[in-house]
Amino acid sequence: MNKAKVIILAGFLGSGKTTLLKQLLMEERQKGTKPAVLMNEIGAVSIDSDAVQGDVPLSELLNGCVCCTLQDQLERQLIILCQQHQPETIYIEATGVAHPVDILDACLSPDLLNYIEETVIISIIDSPRWLNRDVMSIQSKMLLSEQVKHADFLIWNKTGELSAAEKNQLQEDQNRLNPNTSAVMTDFSRIDAEIIKNLTSSQKGNHEPAALGRQLKVKSFVYEFNGPITKESFENWLRQAPDSIYRMKGYMQFIGEKGTILMQYSYGLPQYEPEIMKKPLKVVIIGEGLDVELLRGQLEKLS
């Protein structure tokens, strides 16, 4: 049996991991290669799994983080994917609060030696968030730095609106934290897939343990709308939403507009995409130290 190459897609909440995964899977399809995907979500509901087409083997680990509470399950699911589907490449899309080296450690388990050839880490960094990270909690800033420090390849995402000075700052930060790693600056996680396929792993230094992710006190909860709401009321609510909300993603309907839309929100900005399939009107909200009951009450007033 051929061994699989594992590619860990790391990055903070809303950095662009799923966007990159969709592009990589499209490239795999065009070339006729055999990928598989393992997705990890903090909460009980997965929205990002819709990015994986039905013919691609998919394993989901919900309600926890593979770098700590679900590490044993990660090993088992990787073995199952390899035994049942014999993929050439396995993409692991980690949660936004996962430490990539802890996931790497799980992939290096002796039980996986016969299944995995190599494991590499790609960190997708939300560049504006990085440049403004001083407003984040100490734990969040530490995790962001660790994701930069231990990457085999860095994608500085969302750089289109940055000034030359800000881009220079990104380069200086990279030189300080991870000087020997290649990187690109891009938007919408656009990158030549051949670069990804040709990556090799590097020796990892000391890192903060998985407990760092647990210290973030990240919560997620799912809110289900009873029906369409006005876009204006929703965006007014977003403008007043706490900074501790890092990520929102789900399906909504707006009064006066046809069909269902996929809403994605990170770093204060919502994005909307039309959704062809009929979906339940559920939104997953992820953040640090969220007052779930307060947010639920506010959303109920929008219904």
Side-chain angles (χ1 to χ4, degrees):
M1 182 176 66
N2 293 330
K3 294 184 180 181
K5 181 174 185 176
V6 172
I7 297 177
I8 299 170
L9 303 181
F12 205 72
L13 297 157
S15 60
K17 297 186 296 295
T18 304
T19 302
L20 175 62
L21 177 63
K22 290 169 67 175
Q23 296 175 30
L24 295 174
L25 292 178
M26 185 180 301
E27 185 77 13
E28 299 267 14
R29 175 181 288 274
Q30 292 172 352
K31 293 190 173 183
T33 48
K34 294 176 61 178
V37 176
L38 192 152
M39 302 188 86
N40 183 209
E41 299 277 4
I42 295 174
V45 175
S46 175
I47 299 293
D48 290 336
S49 60
D50 290 339
V52 182
Q53 295 185 332
D55 59 342
V56 176
L58 169 67
S59 179
E60 295 181 272
L61 295 175
L62 306 177
N63 271 333
C65 184
V66 294
C67 69
C68 40
T69 58
L70 299 181
Q71 195 169 74
D72 290 341
Q73 291 187 42
L74 170 64
E75 294 178 22
R76 287 196 295 271
Q77 290 304 313
L78 286 173
I79 291 173
I80 290 170
L81 283 173
C82 290
Q83 288 178 338
Q84 294 184 353
H85 304 285
Q86 298 184 21
E88 298 170 52
T89 307
I90 300 175
Y91 296 102
I92 299 179
E93 183 179 336
T95 71
V97 296
H99 195 301
V101 175
D102 289 314
I103 303 173
L104 173 64
D105 288 346
C107 294
L108 297 177
S109 163
D111 294 333
L112 292 168
L113 290 177
N114 293 328
Y115 300 99
I116 293 177
E117 175 184 24
E118 185 178 29
T119 303
V120 299
I121 297 171
I122 300 172
S123 289
I124 303 96
I125 307 299
D126 182 328
S127 300
R129 186 189 293 278
W130 173 266
L131 293 170
N132 292 282
R133 62 193 182 280
D134 285 345
V135 303
M136 303 173 70
S137 70
I138 294 174
Q139 291 84 0
S140 296
K141 287 189 289 186
M142 288 175 62
L143 180 58
L144 270 175
S145 294
E146 291 286 294
Q147 289 171 343
V148 171
K149 180 180 177 181
H150 296 286
D152 295 308
F153 186 77
L154 271 171
I155 297 176
W156 292 106
N157 200 22
K158 308 180 186 180
T159 57
E161 300 295 323
L162 299 185
S163 66
E166 289 172 323
K167 291 179 180 179
N168 286 337
Q169 184 63 58
L170 296 180
Q171 186 62 61
E172 290 177 11
D173 291 340
Q174 179 185 331
N175 292 340
R176 174 173 51 86
L177 292 170
N178 197 347
N180 298 319
T181 291
S182 299
V184 295
M185 294 188 185
T186 189
D187 283 302
F188 304 104
S189 297
R190 284 190 292 259
I191 184 174
D192 184 351
E194 283 303 308
I195 296 176
I196 303 296
K197 298 296 286 187
N198 294 328
L199 287 175
T200 57
S201 60
S202 59
Q203 184 69 35
K204 302 295 182 292
N206 295 330
H207 69 282
E208 294 293 331
L212 174 61
R214 291 193 288 270
Q215 291 170 3
L216 291 177
K217 299 180 181 178
V218 170
K219 291 183 179 180
S220 74
F221 82 99
V222 180
Y223 183 80
E224 184 168 5
F225 290 97
N226 295 322
I229 62 174
T230 67
K231 189 174 184 179
E232 181 182 9
S233 66
F234 178 68
E235 293 189 340
N236 285 338
W237 174 76
L238 284 181
R239 280 190 282 271
Q240 301 175 35
D243 294 336
S244 55
I245 293 179
Y246 294 138
R247 183 83 162 109
M248 283 190 278
K249 189 168 186 177
Y251 299 101
M252 305 177 64
Q253 290 179 346
F254 291 131
I255 295 172
E257 298 185 16
K258 293 183 179 180
T260 302
I261 60 104
L262 170 63
M263 184 279 298
Q264 300 190 63
Y265 169 93
S266 64
Y267 206 54
L269 297 174
Q271 294 180 332
Y272 307 111
E273 300 175 28
E275 173 57 50
I276 299 174
M277 304 292 290
K278 186 176 181 180
K279 299 286 186 180
L281 305 182
K282 292 182 178 180
V283 173
V284 180
I285 301 176
I286 302 173
E288 193 171 352
L290 299 180
D291 187 334
V292 172
E293 292 308 313
L294 175 63
L295 295 174
R296 192 189 310 277
Q298 293 173 345
L299 290 168
E300 286 174 352
K301 294 178 181 178
L302 304 182
S303 302

